[in-house]
Amino acid sequence: MSRSNINYQVLREAEARSSVYQWWQRVSRAVEADGEGGLPAFSTAVRPALRRAKTPDDALLTEGFRLLWFAVPDNLKAPRNMPALGCVAAVLAEVREMDQQKSFAAAMGSQVEKTGKPRVSELRFQQLQQSHDLEELQRRLRRAVALLGKKVHVLSLADNIMQWHREKSGHPDYRPDRRLPVRWATDYFTELASYQKAAATN
């Protein structure tokens, strides 16, 4: 499923990650390209309906969300998680390909080929960090996914959305280094430094 080393904060259990990944495969019809003969793709109407959802609340009214809700394990089905899963469904519906190598934040910091600039600018990254609610976060995440060519690490992105909602709901991790703003900044700026430092020494 993934070769990258990602430290999951909400999707810690393999069952949870597998359910979200299989749901995305079936929504995006990546399951057909996979050719492994797993579960069949969902109806072609599922993904467009999710993409039309302007807010997480809109997504809750779609068949795509219901399919995700039925797929995830019971420990994720607490009512407080429902808006976050709506956002997960709406944003993952934009993803066309799985990036196996980089976390979502690291991909945002990765270089636009030979330009020395990140694929998601520092300004957009800061704005994403400063999102005030799930609706704003959903809109900015969709923009970031588009800037990444709709190729992102599906599970990293889903875990980040769930953690963002948990922390905004008053449940931040007791360890500061595990909080999402710190994790995002670490991955983004580490990736940024990898090519800007090299450019500065040439």
Side-chain angles (χ1 to χ4, degrees), residues 72-107:
V72 296
D74 289 345
N75 65 325
L76 292 180
K77 290 181 180 173
R80 66 178 180 275
N81 287 335
M82 191 173 280
L85 283 170
C87 185
V88 167
V91 176
L92 291 192
E94 301 292 330
V95 180
R96 289 196 174 276
E97 189 176 352
M98 171 74 161
D99 180 348
Q100 303 266 9
Q101 305 301 326
K102 297 180 189 293
S103 70
F104 176 62

Side-chain angles (χ1 to χ4, degrees), residues 142-158:
R142 282 175 157 170
R143 179 63 182 154
V145 168
L147 291 169
L148 295 174
K150 302 197 174 189
K151 180 179 179 180
V152 304
H153 195 293
V154 170
L155 295 176
S156 170
L157 176 54

Side-chain angles (χ1 to χ4, degrees), residues 22-41:
Q22 287 185 359
W23 174 88
W24 169 77
Q25 282 188 305
R26 299 177 76 185
V27 166
S28 68
R29 306 185 78 80
V31 67
E32 295 173 343
D34 193 316
E36 293 183 356
L39 296 169

Side-chain angles (χ1 to χ4, degrees), residues 106-124:
M108 288 193 287
S110 62
Q111 182 179 199
V112 178
E113 189 173 0
K114 299 178 181 176
T115 63
K117 295 181 179 178
R119 299 176 72 185
V120 174
S121 70
E122 290 186 52
L123 177 60
R124 284 191 185 279

Side-chain angles (χ1 to χ4, degrees), residues 129 176-187:
Q129 292 264 40
D177 61 315
R178 290 183 179 173
R179 294 175 186 166
L180 187 61
V182 177
R183 295 176 60 217
W184 268 0
T186 300
D187 286 1

